[in-house]
Amino acid sequence: MIKEKLISPNKLPFLQSQILQIIYIDISLNQKTSLENIYKVTDYKPNSKILNDAIKALNTKKFLIGDLDKGYAIPEERLGLFNSIIKKNDYVHKIYSENILSLEYSNRRRKNKLHNKTTLFNNDNHSNSTISQYNNGGICHRWYNYLEDFPYYLIEEKIKEYGLNESSLIVEPFAGSGTTNVSSKMFNIRSYGFDANPLMAFISEVKTNWDIDLTTFKKEVLRISKKFLKDIHHFDTLNIDKDFLDKMPKKELNQWLSLGLQKEVVLLKNHIKTIKNKGIRKLLLLSMSRSALDASFVAFCPGTTFYPFRDKDEFWDIFTDKVVEVYNDLIKLQQLNIDFKDVQIINDSCLNASKYIEQKSIDFLVTSPPYPNDLEYTRQTRLELYLLDFVENMDDVQQIKRKMVKGSTKLIYKESNSAEHIKKFKSVMEISDLIYEQTKDKNWGFDYPRMVREYFGDMYLCLKEFLPLMKEDGHFLLVVGDQTIKGVYIPVCDILIEMANKLGYSEGKKELFRIRRSTGHNVDLPEEIVILKK
């Protein structure tokens, strides 16, 4: 007899996977699952047909035996899945590593070969270490890497190529996770960074603050870690602030974090908030939020997808390693005894740069701006935006989106009007018309033509904003990739150079950086460095 092939849990729609975890956890606690509990967790109404169909489907797909009235049992062939789900969510009986109490890396780092040292307390000789080695090795950069970051070495290369020094000023119009600003500080060059997303501004700010009292840091890490390890097993009896758990929409929260992980994160955040030293508190909040992201269901590829049954490392182990990594990096930097130049990170659109920077003061700008690829970057940072209190509702999210360069249809609003500035550019209008022809008879993609116009309108304003702020012979480098939309090729680099020439930049050229492959079309897409000179 041929054995029936089981449906993989990874094939379940998210609602079904969520309900399955609720029921499995209830079974482990010897309690009956109620429809009321399911709709409270999932945020669906109890009379929802979608909800009830999802519950029934778990029986049909042989993940459960029974029903809500009589109770559920687990099919023998699903016991392995049951055990793995319970192990992840059982914070009551879970054994949490205590390595952080001696500031040692967790066992996962040795197991995964993530680091060849298990402790920070050894007598490393830094005499042969250089800033270049630190920069290329990811010191500080690695505290929070962003999906679209360019490599650390690029900034160092350009600093040397363009003869920048301690008297120079570098500006990063789209700071992201601070790659440009961290590298600039490493080489002791003053810099500004702009980002409309408050999370990214926070990340860049924290990663460039190295003036941390490490004795106090260690004491606070030990204090909050002891509290967490003591309290987590009794979480359900604690009277704590539910914080982001009560603010982030339930359906979205549950997409990102398992039920057990939600409790671990909110407990740790409560303890971190008691730290009085602002710099240390921010460092640990950064470590916590990055650890939550790494332990979450999310995968960026390059969109935002959720895999609730993908094996991930434990949140507490990730946090332990992140804290030790931060501590280790700060030790190395402070042993250099360098009076590093200031970095100013500004949470605002770079289109407002003239409010913060004097005219004719910038020596060098370098950035990797958003591309017209329909990626909506607040979606990728949604968890941390709520987790770190930058937003409390979707209205707050919308306010951030309104300030961003419109490389996505989801960033365009009725009042958006940057497209008015590029009507004189025939190249942009022709591309917009070609995309319209490809989408006019379809139910999707109808807003792509406007997205292209708004995107280049915003980039035109960006180039225009910085031109008077640059010194004569100053340079503006943009790492940009050409794109395709519905089979229409968009020569992003060429158009940026065309716009810069129109604005009055004296030179505009490009050099190949690397070749990428279009995910939607079988075509090579060059990623190039646009080089503009005043």
Side-chain angles (χ1 to χ4, degrees):
M1 183 176 177
I2 299 175
K3 191 174 181 180
E4 184 179 356
K5 187 175 180 180
L6 290 175
I7 296 173
S8 167
N10 291 317
K11 299 292 185 183
L12 289 177
F14 191 84
L15 178 59
Q16 291 179 27
S17 68
Q18 191 179 352
I19 295 168
L20 181 64
Q21 292 182 72
I22 295 169
I23 295 174
Y24 275 12
I25 290 170
D26 282 345
I27 291 173
S28 74
L29 298 172
N30 294 316
Q31 63 188 30
K32 191 175 177 182
T33 302
S34 67
L35 185 60
E36 181 182 13
N37 185 41
I38 292 176
Y39 82 72
K40 276 184 179 179
V41 174
T42 62
D43 207 27
Y44 279 83
K45 299 297 182 186
N47 59 353
S48 164
K49 186 177 185 302
I50 294 174
L51 182 66
N52 284 281
D53 286 348
I55 296 170
K56 292 174 184 176
L58 293 171
N59 280 72
T60 305
K61 296 176 180 179
K62 296 183 169 49
F63 285 93
L64 293 168
I65 300 170
D67 56 40
L68 285 173
D69 291 332
K70 298 177 182 177
Y72 286 105
I74 303 161
E76 184 177 351
E77 58 270 26
R78 298 295 186 183
L79 285 174
L81 175 64
F82 169 80
N83 289 330
S84 68
I85 289 174
I86 299 310
K87 184 180 177 182
K88 273 287 185 188
N89 287 278
D90 185 10
Y91 50 89
V92 175
H93 302 100
K94 187 185 292 186
I95 298 174
Y96 291 85
S97 167
E98 296 188 359
N99 287 19
I100 197 170
L101 300 180
S102 54
L103 281 175
E104 293 181 352
Y105 287 113
S106 74
N107 293 332
R108 98 181 169 105
R109 282 188 80 95
R110 290 192 287 269
K111 178 183 72 175
N112 297 340
K113 299 179 180 178
L114 295 173
H115 204 278
N116 59 7
K117 290 184 291 186
T118 59
T119 179
L120 298 172
F121 299 107
N122 45 43
N123 294 318
D124 287 338
N125 184 351
H126 297 291
S127 59
N128 295 322
S129 296
T130 65
I131 288 294
S132 181
Q133 289 172 326
Y134 284 179
N135 184 63
N136 294 334
I139 297 290
C140 293
H141 292 291
R142 60 189 176 185
W143 298 356
Y144 189 114
N145 287 315
Y146 193 49
L147 186 65
E148 305 297 329
D149 281 346
F150 44 63
Y152 315 141
Y153 65 79
L154 181 65
I155 303 303
E156 177 182 350
E157 285 183 357
K158 298 309 173 185
I159 286 172
K160 294 175 180 177
E161 180 181 345
Y162 288 88
L164 302 172
N165 54 49
E166 293 185 11
S167 64
S168 302
L169 174 61
I170 295 176
V171 173
E172 165 60 272
F174 302 96
S177 63
T179 301
T180 297
N181 299 104
V182 170
S183 291
S184 298
K185 184 162 185 167
M186 288 252 187
F187 291 93
N188 211 17
I189 299 174
R190 190 165 60 97
S191 71
Y192 280 78
F194 292 87
D195 208 294
N197 186 328
L199 171 69
M200 307 317 294
F202 171 80
I203 291 167
S204 295
E205 175 197 335
V206 174
K207 285 170 64 173
T208 53
N209 177 20
W210 307 337
D211 187 18
I212 300 293
D213 184 317
L214 292 179
T215 300
T216 306
F217 180 87
K218 179 182 175 182
K219 288 179 180 177
E220 291 291 13
V221 166
L222 299 187
R223 182 179 68 82
I224 62 142
S225 297
K226 287 177 181 178
K227 285 287 292 177
F228 175 88
L229 292 168
K230 177 186 176 184
D231 292 345
I232 186 60
H233 298 297
H234 312 285
F235 180 90
D236 293 328
T237 66
L238 301 175
N239 182 22
I240 66 169
D241 180 6
K242 293 301 175 64
D243 202 84
F244 72 99
L245 299 183
D246 287 339
K247 296 172 184 175
M248 192 169 182
K250 270 288 185 213
K251 291 176 186 175
E252 192 160 27
L253 173 62
N254 293 333
Q255 274 190 312
W256 289 87
L257 303 180
S258 69
L259 299 177
L261 181 52
Q262 290 175 27
K263 296 178 180 181
E264 290 173 342
V265 175
V266 78
L267 176 61
L268 181 58
K269 183 181 177 185
N270 268 263
H271 291 321
I272 291 174
K273 287 194 300 185
T274 66
I275 297 173
K276 294 180 180 179
N277 183 290
K278 192 175 181 180
I280 294 173
R281 185 171 67 248
K282 285 185 174 182
L283 259 180
L284 293 176
L285 285 172
L286 177 77
S287 302
M288 175 204 69
S289 64
R290 181 68 212 195
S291 301
L293 179 67
D294 288 345
S296 74
F297 294 144
V298 77
F300 300 122
C301 51
T304 307
T305 312
F306 300 95
Y307 298 97
F309 299 105
R310 181 173 286 183
D311 189 31
K312 292 284 191 82
D313 287 325
E314 290 287 345
F315 164 72
W316 183 249
D317 288 342
I318 300 171
F319 177 74
T320 294
D321 294 339
K322 184 61 65 178
V323 169
V324 175
E325 183 177 79
V326 166
Y327 186 72
N328 189 22
D329 288 356
L330 288 173
I331 286 176
K332 292 181 186 300
L333 289 168
Q334 292 185 10
Q335 285 179 339
L336 294 172
N337 292 318
I338 295 174
D339 184 17
F340 290 103
K341 298 285 187 182
D342 290 337
V343 175
Q344 294 192 51
I345 303 298
I346 298 165
N347 177 210
D348 196 359
S349 167
C350 66
L351 303 187
N352 297 321
S354 57
K355 293 181 180 178
Y356 308 95
I357 300 176
E358 294 180 0
Q359 292 196 355
K360 299 181 180 180
S361 64
I362 301 173
D363 295 277
F364 191 75
L365 295 109
V366 58
T367 191
S368 181
Y371 298 175
N373 54 9
D374 206 25
L375 284 181
E376 199 277 273
Y377 291 106
T378 69
R379 178 64 177 140
Q380 295 179 322
T381 59
R382 194 68 53 83
L383 172 66
E384 301 104 294
L385 284 170
Y386 277 100
L387 177 53
L388 295 177
D389 305 316
F390 293 118
V391 300
E392 294 189 356
N393 50 54
M394 281 306 298
D395 287 341
D396 292 342
V397 175
Q398 302 291 346
Q399 291 306 311
I400 296 171
K401 290 166 69 172
R402 280 179 161 83
K403 297 177 183 178
M404 300 178 79
V405 168
K406 296 161 190 67
S408 168
T409 55
K410 300 175 186 66
L411 298 174
I412 297 173
Y413 294 88
K414 184 178 180 180
E415 67 271 18
S416 301
N417 64 352
S418 296
E420 292 296 314
H421 300 280
I422 51 84
K423 287 182 178 179
K424 54 194 168 190
F425 295 100
K426 185 179 178 182
S427 55
V428 177
M429 301 309 292
E430 286 179 348
I431 289 168
S432 174
D433 290 343
L434 285 172
I435 296 172
Y436 171 75
E437 289 300 320
Q438 294 295 317
T439 58
K440 65 181 180 181
D441 297 325
K442 297 181 172 61
N443 294 324
W444 44 261
F446 56 87
D447 41 6
Y448 284 145
R450 186 181 178 193
M451 181 192 80
V452 168
R453 297 193 303 272
E454 293 290 344
Y455 170 80
F456 283 110
D458 280 342
M459 290 307 298
Y460 175 87
L461 293 173
C462 173
L463 298 178
K464 182 180 179 181
E465 180 74 7
F466 283 107
L467 184 59
L469 307 182
M470 296 168 64
K471 292 180 180 178
E472 292 299 323
D473 298 324
H475 288 84
F476 192 164
L477 273 59
L478 301 99
V479 181
V480 187
D482 290 349
Q483 299 293 307
T484 56
I485 294 180
K486 304 308 171 190
V488 178
Y489 191 88
I490 307 174
V492 178
C493 301
D494 292 340
I495 293 172
L496 291 178
I497 292 172
E498 179 188 0
M499 294 193 304
N501 289 336
K502 188 75 173 177
L503 282 164
Y505 285 82
S506 66
E507 292 181 20
K509 60 182 180 179
K510 61 184 181 180
E511 62 182 37
L512 183 64
F513 180 49
R514 57 191 172 190
I515 296 290
R516 298 170 300 116
R517 196 74 177 165
S518 169
T519 55
H521 306 89
N522 188 26
V523 61
D524 288 334
L525 295 175
E527 193 167 33
E528 296 171 297
I529 302 178
V530 171
I531 303 169
L532 307 175
K533 183 179 178 181
K534 182 170 177 179

